[in-house]
Amino acid sequence: MIHLIRKLGCTVAVALLVLSAGCTDAASPLSARAGEPAFNTGGGPDVAALARFKTKPQITIAWAKKWIGPEGGRLDFYGFAIEVPAGAVDKVTMFTIRLPVDPNGSDYVLAEFGPHAQPFNKPVSIELPYGNTSIEGSASPTIVWWNNGWVDMGASITADGLRLRTSTDHFSEYGTTTQRGGAIVVSGG
């Protein structure tokens, strides 16, 4: 009987350890981790220049994560995606897509991609929704990233017409717009 209780206690302890270790990398969908950008905070991105969803997505979970290794892989989440080619990372790495949950930001085509400060050996592709947005059908849609103003990354429309796609060597906050050019600095930026 004592052996059974001891075994059960060890099993519970290991389960708690695994659960706590698995949760330590997860960010709250409401706030950024220390040192990382946050949505709609002082000095954060001004979303006024970004495309809006025609029908606001019904988001119940504001972030997704996936471990992707040297063989490459893909993470899809509410029309946003990360495609990691083989050889882009040297070790298994946590990739994330985080969407704003505040009422002012969730109408916009905007996401924070991670990991931050992670160099890639090859460019990684990201996709953002294009279909069912205010820029659908536009002659010049583009993806922009936040750097104290929106910076044009360029983009192409995917074959199915539902997303805009670009490649990047870093992760940050990205959105879509029809405003093209170097830095698109908008009020508050």
Side-chain angles (χ1 to χ4, degrees):
M1 182 70 164
I2 292 176
H3 178 66
L4 181 61
I5 292 173
R6 209 178 281 164
K7 192 173 188 177
L8 181 61
C10 287
T11 302
V12 170
V14 168
L16 289 173
L17 180 63
V18 168
L19 285 174
S20 67
C23 294
T24 58
D25 193 48
S28 163
L30 300 176
S31 62
R33 295 181 203 154
E36 292 187 7
F39 293 117
N40 299 318
T41 60
D46 184 340
V47 297
L50 299 181
R52 288 178 172 253
F53 289 101
K54 289 180 182 174
T55 304
K56 187 175 176 178
Q58 297 301 311
I59 298 171
T60 55
I61 297 175
W63 56 276
K65 64 182 180 177
K66 182 175 183 179
W67 291 100
I68 299 175
E71 70 283 356
R74 184 175 173 93
L75 171 60
D76 283 285
F77 186 62
Y78 286 107
F80 296 84
I82 299 171
E83 189 159 332
V84 181
V89 292
D90 294 326
K91 61 183 181 180
V92 175
T93 303
M94 171 75 68
F95 285 84
T96 61
I97 300 172
R98 192 166 67 96
L99 307 179
V101 294
D102 63 273
N104 296 323
S106 60
D107 287 335
Y108 295 90
V109 182
L110 172 68
E112 181 180 353
F113 292 86
H116 287 271
Q118 168 74 42
F120 301 121
N121 299 327
K122 296 179 180 179
V124 172
S125 295
I126 59 171
E127 296 175 357
L128 286 83
Y130 171 69
N132 196 34
T133 70
S134 61
I135 63 170
E136 183 177 19
S138 166
S140 61
T142 191
I143 293 175
V144 291
W145 72 280
W146 182 254
N147 186 23
N148 294 322
W150 291 110
V151 179
D152 186 356
M153 295 285 297
S156 60
I157 301 171
T158 58
D160 62 9
L162 298 177
R163 299 178 189 196
L164 291 178
R165 181 179 177 100
T166 195
S167 293
T168 184
D169 60 0
H170 72 284
F171 281 149
S172 181
E173 293 168 324
Y174 291 87
T176 62
T177 186
T178 57
Q179 297 181 29
R180 288 192 171 264
I184 304 165
V185 180
V186 291
S187 64

